[in-house]
């Protein structure tokens, strides 16, 4: 069995090696107009939007079914409390 320390080291090493490759790949996608140039930094993990004031609920969906279910729940929550902000992301 591999211990957690070794697993973390392997993960960091793979991330260190693949990050420049992924950056170049995203750059080529941007050049070929497959990426929105105004949101390019978001693909690299840098948000360009400021966080809204107040309570924030972050919901993430990985499939169409999860998206529809999540949006139904989000709409229900917003009807109960208009001051809550919901950040909904999808894969």
């Amino acid at each position: 069995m591999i211990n957690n320390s070794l697993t973390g080291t392997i993960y960091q090493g793979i991330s260190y090696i693949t990050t420049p490759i992924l950056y170049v790949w995203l750059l080529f996608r941007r050049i070929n107009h497959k990426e929105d140039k105004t949101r390019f930094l978001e693909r690299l993990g840098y948000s360009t939007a400021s966080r809204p004031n107040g309570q924030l609920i972050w919901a993430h969906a990985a499939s169409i079914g999860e998206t529809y279910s999540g949006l139904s729940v989000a709409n229900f929550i917003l009807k109960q409390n208009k001051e809550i902000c919901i950040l909904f992301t999808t894969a």
Side-chain angles (χ1 to χ4, degrees), residues 8-80:
T9 302
I10 292 170
Y11 179 80
Q12 285 178 333
I14 291 171
S15 296
Y16 183 77
I17 292 168
T18 59
T19 297
I21 296 167
L22 292 173
Y23 180 78
V24 170
W25 177 69
L26 285 173
L27 203 54
F28 277 117
R29 285 183 52 86
R30 182 177 170 189
I31 290 168
N32 292 321
H33 305 289
K34 294 184 178 182
E35 294 290 336
D36 184 352
K37 67 180 179 180
T38 61
R39 300 186 74 185
F40 182 70
L41 289 177
E42 290 179 14
R43 296 281 280 164
L44 299 174
Y46 300 102
S47 176
T48 56
S50 60
R51 187 189 187 286
N53 293 329
Q55 187 176 9
L56 175 67
I57 297 173
W58 182 359
H60 179 77
S63 68
I64 293 173
E66 287 180 5
T67 301
Y68 285 130
S69 297
L71 288 174
S72 297
V73 171
N75 284 328
F76 177 79
I77 291 170
L78 290 174
K79 285 180 184 176
Q80 304 301 316

